[in-house]
Amino acid sequence: FAHHLQNPIKNLGWLSLSLRQDLSKKWIVSAGFFYEPRFYIRDYNDSHTGIREHCDFTLYQPRFDLTWRPEWLFDLTGGFKFKSYRYNEFFTEYDGDLLEFGITGVYRPGNWRVSAGYTYGILENTGFDSELIPSGSFQNDTEFGQADYLEDNFLGSVRYTSKLFARTASLELRGEIANRTYTTSRDVATDPMHSERTDAVTSLEV
């Protein structure tokens, strides 16, 4: 639970459950569930009423992973994650379900830990209603856009761990490249926010 003394509207809490079972010396299965009852974003103008309202969502996220570890130096994990975003009654058009499939390999030679992974994501904008806003009736508000997308995500990290002043210390470099392609069925005149749009995001952390 996170409590803000100056801005209580941003208070939030969450529940996280996980389960791990060693099937054998080489195979490990794990599952988890994450629940966030309310995450506040900001106040937006609701185009249906013309009134500014709080915009927040509830998140449900189950996951499942299977790990193969033939020896301590190396393991390979594959799994899937499902995220369900449910917005409050003023902004249900943003509701969406994200399904992610991924695989990650880890190698641990000596003091080093090297990992590389790939994730494929599919988001369906379940709150979008094509009947409510028919093609050709674009209005200047992203609430009426169709935000379905496909995403390729490449991740990598290198970490070195050693002793420093009799304490364990580590230095890690992490990088990520994500390519997201929006797949709206609406033309660019009707949905300029998403039609024919591709996002490329690169991040680097130390």
Side-chain angles (χ1 to χ4, degrees):
F1 180 78
H3 183 74
H4 296 77
L5 296 178
Q6 298 294 329
N7 199 3
I9 195 174
K10 298 178 69 175
N11 291 348
L12 59 90
W14 60 87
L15 173 68
S16 181
L17 303 173
S18 62
L19 175 67
R20 167 179 162 147
Q21 177 64 51
D22 293 353
L23 301 178
S24 67
K25 292 183 179 179
K26 296 183 179 181
W27 292 96
I28 304 167
V29 64
S30 61
F33 180 78
F34 179 85
Y35 170 64
E36 192 164 20
R38 178 182 179 271
F39 185 89
Y40 171 74
I41 302 174
R42 54 166 288 183
D43 283 9
Y44 286 106
N45 181 64
D46 183 359
S47 295
H48 303 94
T49 64
I51 301 174
R52 290 186 69 82
E53 303 284 0
H54 298 333
C55 181
D56 55 56
F57 65 80
T58 299
L59 173 63
Y60 305 87
Q61 179 182 298
R63 65 170 181 82
F64 176 83
D65 294 301
L66 181 64
T67 299
W68 175 57
R69 180 176 292 175
E71 55 180 296
W72 184 85
L73 284 174
F74 174 78
D75 62 57
L76 189 67
T77 299
F80 69 86
K81 181 188 302 181
F82 179 77
K83 297 181 180 180
S84 181
Y85 298 88
R86 292 295 175 263
Y87 284 76
N88 62 19
E89 66 272 23
F90 304 110
F91 301 99
T92 56
E93 55 270 27
Y94 292 129
D95 288 356
D97 292 332
L98 174 62
L99 181 60
E100 294 181 330
F101 301 93
I103 187 168
T104 302
V106 179
Y107 182 52
R108 306 177 183 81
N111 294 343
W112 295 88
R113 182 184 185 277
V114 181
S115 71
Y118 169 76
T119 301
Y120 180 70
I122 307 168
L123 183 131
E124 180 184 359
N125 183 193
T126 56
F128 173 74
D129 189 345
S130 61
E131 297 299 323
L132 177 64
I133 307 296
S135 180
S137 61
F138 169 72
Q139 298 185 31
N140 190 25
D141 195 300
T142 58
E143 289 185 60
F144 300 133
Q146 183 181 17
D148 295 0
Y149 68 73
L150 305 175
E151 183 172 83
D152 296 291
N153 202 320
F154 303 88
L155 308 96
S157 68
V158 178
R159 184 173 69 197
Y160 181 77
T161 303
S162 186
K163 290 289 185 179
L164 183 64
F165 303 113
R167 294 180 178 272
T168 300
S170 62
L171 178 65
E172 184 173 19
L173 178 66
R174 295 175 54 87
E176 180 176 348
I177 299 174
N179 294 305
R180 178 180 298 179
T181 302
Y182 287 86
T183 58
T184 175
S185 58
R186 299 163 72 81
D187 58 40
V188 68
T190 306
D191 189 359
M193 177 63 71
H194 304 106
S195 182
E196 302 179 7
R197 172 181 167 186
T198 300
D199 291 349
V201 180
T202 303
S203 64
L204 191 63
E205 300 177 9
V206 178

